[in-house]
């Protein structure tokens, strides 16, 4: 179904270690979505949903990962998080922390043309996992991240 996903998505990290804030939008006409809906016993439209619910996902070293929905998150809050992260990255004044509510905290360590992060994820009440997950995200290119943040902001419009 990955080919059918649309909507805003922000990935911070590498292919194997990342944190992602996404608002997936599935196409009910996609054959994979239709097959998954049939397997779930619902219509493709119901399976695809409205495409308005945000989710937080992560993976560490290509093995450990997880995710959960953030049904109360609004686009404006996602945009605020990105704006604060982008502003801090632009100052390049040293380590800083940017949080997205109580579920995500990114401790950034800019160095030269890169930036590495320590990510702390705390699942909201009601999730099966209740313990905070903390892991390091290897250095990413700061200019590429700034461009990704700007693209993400544009996808919210």
């Amino acid at each position: 179904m990955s080919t059918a996903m649309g909507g805003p998505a922000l990935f911070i990290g590498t292919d194997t270690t990342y944190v992602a804030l996404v608002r997936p939008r599935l196409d009910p006409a996609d054959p994979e979505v239709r097959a998954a809906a049939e397997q779930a016993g619902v219509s493709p439209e119901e399976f695809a949903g409205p495409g308005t619910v945000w989710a937080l996902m992560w993976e560490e070293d290509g093995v450990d990962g997880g995710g959960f929905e953030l049904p109360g998150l609004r686009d404006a809050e996602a945009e605020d998080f990105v704006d604060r992260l982008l502003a801090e990255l632009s100052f390049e004044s040293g380590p800083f922390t940017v949080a997205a509510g109580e579920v995500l905290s990114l401790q950034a360590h800019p160095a030269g043309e890169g930036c590495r992060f320590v990510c702390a994820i705390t699942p909201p009440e009601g999730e099966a996992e209740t313990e905070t997950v903390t892991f390091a995200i290897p250095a990413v290119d700061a200019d590429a991240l700034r461009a990704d943040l700007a693209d993400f902001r544009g996808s919210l419009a």
Side-chain angles (χ1 to χ4, degrees), residues 89-132:
L89 281 170
S90 296
F91 290 129
E92 298 180 24
S93 61
F96 62 88
T97 300
V98 176
E102 295 183 15
V103 297
L104 174 63
S105 175
L106 287 177
Q107 202 175 55
H109 301 273
E113 295 181 12
C115 187
R116 59 185 177 79
F117 296 91
V118 175
C119 180
I121 298 170
T122 305
E125 278 188 42
E127 289 296 318
E129 284 292 318
T130 57
E131 297 295 316
T132 297

Side-chain angles (χ1 to χ4, degrees), residues 8-22:
L10 174 64
F11 288 82
I12 299 173
T14 66
D15 289 343
T16 59
T17 301
Y18 63 85
V19 62
L21 182 61
V22 299

